[in-house]
Amino acid sequence: MKKSKPLKILFASSEVAPFAKTGGLADVSGSLPSALASLGHQVVVVMPLYRSVMEGPYELKSIEGALEIPYRGRVLKDKAFYSELEPNLSVCFIRKNEFFDRSMLYRTPEGDYFDNADRFIYFSRGILNLSKLISFKPDIIHCNDWQTSLVPSYLKSLYMYDAFFESARTILTIHNLAYQGIFPAEYMAVSGLPAEFYSLNGFEFYGQMNFLKGGIVFADVITTVSEKYSLEIQTPEFGYGLEGILKGRSSDVHGVLNGVDYREWNPETDPHIITNYNEKDLSGKKRCKKDLIKDFKLKGSEKAPLIGIISRLASQKGFDILAEAVDTLMELGFLIVLLGTGDEIYEKQFAEIGKKHKGRFGVKIAFDNALAHKIEAGADMFLMPSRYEPCGLNQMYSLKYGTIPVVRATGGLDDTINEFDPKTGNGNGFKFAKYSSQALIKEMKRALEVYRSPELWLKLVKVCMREDFSWERSARRYEKIYQGSLAKK
Ligand code: ADP
């Protein structure tokens, strides 16, 4: 395919797999830069130097010189580090131990860290100064979520006349609009941004400073992680108060579906599962199911339909309707395994449900990447009853593992999954529209009916395993968006 002019892309993210991860943002930040590098672009990813990076098996090299970052009236100096991943791709790490040498990224189960605003103001200033320190003059600065949302406004104020950034365009990707980074108005002064940026068409949001809102106002382009979600967020139901400001910029808002990193999520090569398998020989999938049943100490028959769930335990993910549906799903003969961490209320509720249905509903409250892979491989179906879902990755991982997604029709789930029609053989999963336990149960019954017809099920499994959601297509869309914003100059 035709190669376009190579760009210098500075990709800023607060989490990047495998270095640090709480959710999908890390997966995207771990694989999109690599896909862009494969298209010939030069990519530098910037993230904080968390404890998990320092304690991990990574070889970090020290960047020459000191990184200077203005913060609360002083200029702080510290070392920065890098790791070269591929010829055109490296990751840089900004160190400030008092901010980032912690056990978690943003919060403990008791709540958010009290100084998150300081931590990410510091990080955002650091991103720009680091690119100068390493003499990486970016064409594109790609920011992600509220943690890096101040960068576009810095470029339009403190760095406005800095020749180093004169040709840089900014893009902000929203991975989840519900997390906006809202802090007391006093943080405007801490950020060093001009006071006039604290306005209705700036950072001000009901008397507070909203980082993401500032990003949306000042970025040259805004993207979100599926077409459907890009439209949903412009409505009051999904806009979390920012629908007006997004609608005002709708010609600059694009939806680009996330891709799957098949180097990481592929049953043929997955090192975490007991037996590898592919579409031509599915006997390995049976062994994976057996292994999963053993892991969770389930007692049902190996023939029983096994549902997998891997998720942050947050209200977004549909756990209230799932909790209501559990007894009926158990009566219908399903086995369920759930892996998740998050809100205490759901952690407790599902630990109880696990006790009540011991041997049929396995619950593990943990963040466990290897187990996540085993669930993808061992389950028959994968359930995502989300209230809203910007993109969702596990439904796409599930397809590759021949694990049939059952999803609610919202955001990226709606864009990627089509209802299976037993008559025509079209479709790649099961999808329900109404956010209710009844609708969920009805859809699970539909899936069960197909499951009970092994030939039909096998056909569906094979269709799913052949689907391709690799990053290349999405990376090309980002490339177009980058070029479009540079052309607008
Ligand atoms: P979100 O970013 O809203 O959490 P996504 O579907 O975009 O949801 O991405 C979730 C990612 O995090 C997937 O890679 C999923 O496998 C992983 N994940 C979520 N919870 C866990 C967990 N408890 N253990 C391991 N991996 C998890």
Side-chain angles (χ1 to χ4, degrees), residues 74-88:
R74 290 184 299 149
V75 176
L76 305 185
K77 283 187 188 176
D78 209 326
K79 289 301 292 177
F81 300 83
Y82 74 102
S83 170
E84 239 166 44
L85 302 185
E86 294 166 31
N88 274 346

Side-chain angles (χ1 to χ4, degrees), residues 343-363:
D343 297 355
E344 213 178 330
I345 174 171
Y346 296 118
E347 290 193 355
K348 283 198 177 138
Q349 185 179 22
F350 279 89
E352 280 305 312
I353 288 174
K355 270 190 212 149
K356 180 175 171 195
H357 296 288
K358 201 161 176 248
R360 299 194 63 80
F361 194 129
V363 177

Side-chain angles (χ1 to χ4, degrees), residues 71-303:
Y71 170 73
R72 287 194 182 257
R74 290 184 299 149
V75 176
L76 305 185
K77 283 187 188 176
D78 209 326
K79 289 301 292 177
F81 300 83
Y82 74 102
S83 170
E84 239 166 44
L85 302 185
E86 294 166 31
N88 274 346
L89 172 65
S90 57
V91 182
C92 292
F93 302 91
I94 292 181
R95 181 169 79 180
K96 181 45 70 194
N97 286 344
E98 65 178 276
F99 287 150
F100 304 124
D101 182 12
R102 299 187 187 178
S103 56
M104 303 289 185
L105 302 198
Y106 319 118
R107 64 192 308 255
T108 62
E110 286 79 52
D112 289 347
Y113 286 134
F114 74 98
D115 56 353
N116 274 346
D118 286 277
R119 298 170 79 218
F120 291 102
I121 285 172
Y122 182 84
F123 177 55
S124 296
R125 270 313 272 282
I127 291 162
L128 294 172
N129 288 3
L130 182 126
S131 80
K132 292 180 92 167
L133 181 66
I134 61 172
S135 302
F136 185 79
K137 194 170 188 287
D139 299 301
I140 294 294
I141 305 179
H142 191 148
C143 307
N144 294 277
D145 281 350
W146 71 265
Q147 292 91 340
T148 51
S149 271
L150 298 189
V151 172
S153 56
Y154 281 136
L155 280 182
K156 295 209 159 113
S157 56
L158 306 183
Y159 295 79
M160 182 124 132
Y161 301 107
D162 190 329
F164 192 81
F165 295 110
E166 68 192 349
S167 52
R169 289 286 169 273
T170 53
I171 157 168
L172 171 68
T173 297
I174 302 169
H175 298 260
N176 191 334
L177 191 66
Y179 301 88
Q180 300 181 358
I182 301 172
F183 302 101
E186 292 75 63
Y187 278 102
M188 268 317 281
V190 179
S191 71
L193 288 166
E196 63 267 25
F197 279 17
Y198 187 72
S199 67
L200 213 59
N201 198 24
F203 284 91
E204 196 274 333
F205 188 70
Y206 298 100
Q208 293 193 286
M209 179 183 182
N210 184 324
F211 282 29
L212 191 70
K213 182 175 175 235
I216 293 169
V217 170
F218 291 104
D220 295 312
V221 193
I222 300 133
T223 71
T224 186
V225 289
S226 68
E227 285 288 350
K228 180 88 189 255
Y229 193 61
S230 76
L231 302 175
E232 286 174 341
I233 57 176
Q234 298 181 45
T235 68
E237 192 187 346
F238 298 95
Y240 285 90
L242 295 182
E243 60 275 10
I245 210 102
L246 281 160
K247 223 174 158 45
R249 295 214 57 192
S250 64
S251 60
D252 295 318
V253 177
H254 306 270
V256 184
L257 193 72
N258 287 334
V260 175
D261 191 337
Y262 290 122
R263 294 170 303 186
E264 178 69 18
W265 297 95
N266 182 350
E268 247 183 312
T269 51
D270 192 330
H272 302 293
I273 61 180
I274 192 155
T275 314
N276 291 116
Y277 61 91
N278 59 32
E279 175 212 324
K280 289 186 202 89
D281 178 8
L282 283 157
S283 56
K285 185 160 175 67
K286 282 207 180 103
R287 282 200 65 202
C288 290
K289 181 172 181 183
K290 219 171 168 174
D291 187 47
L292 187 61
I293 286 178
K294 201 172 91 208
D295 265 350
F296 277 91
K297 300 191 177 69
L298 300 185
K299 293 199 193 81
S301 143
E302 274 164 32
K303 293 220 164 91

Side-chain angles (χ1 to χ4, degrees), residues 21 23-25 27 265 310-312 316-317 339-341 366-369 372 389 392-394 397:
K21 167 168 170 174
L25 170 60
D27 290 351
W265 297 95
I310 305 162
S311 181
R312 282 186 298 114
Q316 169 203 341
K317 301 290 182 177
L339 167 66
T341 49
F367 196 94
D368 184 338
N369 184 46
E389 194 62 74
L393 292 167
N394 286 101
Y397 301 160

